[in-house]
Amino acid sequence: MQNENIIKGQGAQRNVINRFDRYTYEPEDEDLETVKTSFTEVFPKTIVNQVKSEDLPMEYSMNPYQGCEHGCSYCFARPTHEYWGYSAGIDFERKIMVKKNAPELLEKFFQKRGYKPASILLSGNTDCYQPAERQFEITRKILQVCLDYRHPVNVLTKNALVLRDIDILKPMAEQNLVSVSLSIPTINEDLRRKMEPRTSSAKNKLKAIEILSENNIPVNIMVAPIIPGLNSDEPLTILKAISDAGAQSFGYTLVRLNDTVEPVFVNWIESAFPDRAQKVLNLIRSMRGGKLGEKRYFDRQKGEGSIAEMIHNTFKIGRKKFFEGKEFPKLSTKNFTGAKDQQLRLFD
């Protein structure tokens, strides 16, 4: 059963109070359904971020956009919008900041004296292939810079738009410079429309795996997040589907609702699934020591209790059944010299 008053096409159903605001007010809800997406150009001084989290495998990440149109209510990046004075709710999905100077900043980063190359995650926070990318093509230009400098990059996205840039990804893959991680938390299309309303369909994501694999571009899948009571019955079905499509590896995470992600998700689940909202929230609490969030390194990945253990065991079974013998390649840094190879240019 679904609430008829739910705002379709977005995850957040309202703006939530910014935790950094000195003064607070109750947001007006009357016009939220008609809020249009706006784009604001920002001018960062750097584009590559050093990842300091102890339980994350990457050293660097970069994000050409701040905010994300995909509309996932559980997105861990929502609270970062508050640093800009916006809400983690609808503002996060409708007020997008665009870093048009990202390719130039990346080139300067590669030219730094003494820089030792290490694979960069694109994106570590907000999706580099969200709908805005069709208009601005910042991600495409970033990939071209990586190809020019022969620098490895891991692409993480929920959007099959990544296929648009296969003309760059293919020559990068030939030099072992790129991999693509697609996020597929569900292949139930009805659930997908509610969980991540403006992402690519499950069918298109599976097709993207096939096309990328056919072009020898390594594909990893993030089955994330697992939300008990919503998609926790799908792991084996998803793992079979992505393995059949050509994925070489997968990862997964358990949902955690930190800071202002919590009120956004709670409001969404109560609107989208009013008949089972409390059950889902209680199941999440059972994995998080009675809370909905978890910030402690390593513990935030594992969860606790019987539900978390069941999910972990299911993925162990799926790995053995569908991915035994498959190996994901490590990207190469050996050809990076800090200088551009003009012969690799595909466009100006």
Side-chain angles (χ1 to χ4, degrees):
M1 179 180 177
Q2 179 175 310
N3 188 338
E4 293 181 358
N5 294 322
I6 188 171
I7 303 175
K8 296 181 179 179
Q10 59 190 48
Q13 297 299 297
R14 59 184 176 87
N15 271 325
V16 295
I17 293 172
N18 187 322
R19 61 202 157 117
F20 300 120
D21 282 350
R22 183 177 178 183
Y23 302 104
T24 62
Y25 63 94
E26 286 298 319
E28 295 183 5
D29 295 336
E30 56 183 356
D31 295 321
L32 294 182
E33 195 162 2
T34 60
V35 172
K36 303 295 183 182
T37 303
S38 63
F39 304 101
T40 301
E41 184 175 3
V42 293
F43 302 90
K45 295 182 179 179
T46 60
I47 191 61
V48 179
N49 310 302
Q50 187 173 10
V51 178
K52 298 181 180 180
S53 298
E54 300 173 13
D55 56 353
L56 295 178
M58 74 289 295
E59 292 186 46
Y60 298 104
S61 69
M62 56 182 164
N63 301 278
Y65 303 100
Q66 192 74 29
C68 184
E69 298 173 83
H70 280 155
C72 309
S73 64
Y74 47 77
C75 180
F76 65 86
R78 284 183 178 274
T80 63
H81 229 46
E82 296 175 300
Y83 293 104
W84 298 82
Y86 294 121
S87 170
I90 290 177
D91 283 354
F92 179 78
E93 302 173 35
R94 292 293 179 260
K95 297 183 184 296
I96 309 300
M97 284 163 279
V98 181
K99 305 173 186 178
K100 292 182 180 179
N101 64 339
E104 292 76 17
L105 292 173
L106 181 60
E107 192 162 3
K108 289 180 182 178
F109 181 79
F110 287 163
Q111 293 171 350
K112 281 184 177 180
R113 181 177 297 179
Y115 169 62
K116 296 182 179 180
S119 186
I120 299 175
L121 176 63
L122 174 70
S123 319
N125 199 32
T126 54
D127 203 305
C128 60
Y129 278 108
Q130 60 178 284
E133 173 61 16
R134 293 186 184 277
Q135 176 181 346
F136 296 105
E137 297 191 351
I138 301 172
T139 298
R140 179 173 174 83
K141 293 170 185 174
I142 285 174
L143 289 174
Q144 181 64 68
V145 172
C146 290
L147 176 59
D148 287 348
Y149 282 83
R150 304 166 302 282
H151 192 285
V153 61
N154 300 98
V155 178
L156 173 60
T157 182
K158 289 175 172 281
N159 205 312
L161 179 60
V162 64
L163 294 178
R164 179 200 63 188
D165 297 333
I166 204 161
D167 59 326
I168 302 177
L169 297 173
K170 190 172 181 179
M172 290 186 74
E174 290 171 355
Q175 300 178 69
N176 198 20
L177 295 175
V178 71
S179 67
V180 174
S181 290
L182 277 168
S183 175
I184 303 181
T186 179
I187 55 174
N188 177 329
E189 188 57 18
D190 289 337
L191 180 57
R192 199 276 313 165
R193 289 192 189 100
K194 296 182 179 73
M195 281 183 63
E196 39 177 36
R198 299 192 70 201
T199 64
S200 298
S201 68
K203 179 180 178 181
N204 285 343
K205 289 182 186 180
L206 291 173
K207 186 64 178 178
I209 299 173
E210 293 179 6
I211 294 173
L212 291 166
S213 299
E214 288 168 359
N215 284 275
N216 297 314
I217 298 165
V219 183
N220 172 71
I221 302 301
M222 285 303 298
V223 188
I226 296 298
I227 305 174
L230 280 188
N231 64 341
S232 53
D233 61 337
E234 288 193 73
L236 293 180
T237 305
I238 294 173
L239 295 185
K240 182 181 188 306
I242 63 176
S243 179
D244 290 346
Q248 292 171 267
S249 65
F250 71 88
Y252 68 97
T253 61
L254 306 180
V255 68
R256 57 188 179 93
L257 308 173
N258 290 341
D259 301 319
T260 37
V261 180
E262 179 178 327
V264 172
F265 181 88
V266 169
N267 186 251
W268 171 79
I269 193 74
E270 289 177 346
S271 299
F273 299 98
D275 55 333
R276 52 174 147 160
Q278 292 310 309
K279 177 183 177 181
V280 171
L281 294 173
N282 287 334
L283 288 171
I284 296 173
R285 291 187 182 99
S286 76
M287 300 193 304
R288 299 298 182 189
K291 301 177 294 182
L292 292 175
E294 176 60 80
K295 293 185 178 181
R296 292 173 297 175
Y297 291 139
F298 301 102
D299 288 330
R300 62 182 181 173
Q301 309 288 7
K302 295 184 296 184
E304 61 181 64
S306 59
I307 300 299
E309 184 178 2
M310 178 192 70
I311 292 171
H312 293 316
N313 288 337
T314 300
F315 277 102
K316 286 179 183 178
I317 292 170
R319 190 179 301 278
K320 183 173 181 60
K321 186 171 184 180
F322 302 116
F323 283 84
E324 192 167 25
K326 290 193 175 188
E327 186 175 351
F328 199 69
K330 183 178 180 180
L331 301 185
S332 173
T333 59
K334 67 179 184 180
N335 293 321
F336 177 85
T337 64
K340 182 187 293 187
D341 187 342
Q342 292 289 349
Q343 292 182 343
L344 293 177
R345 292 296 293 179
L346 295 178
F347 64 90
D348 293 322

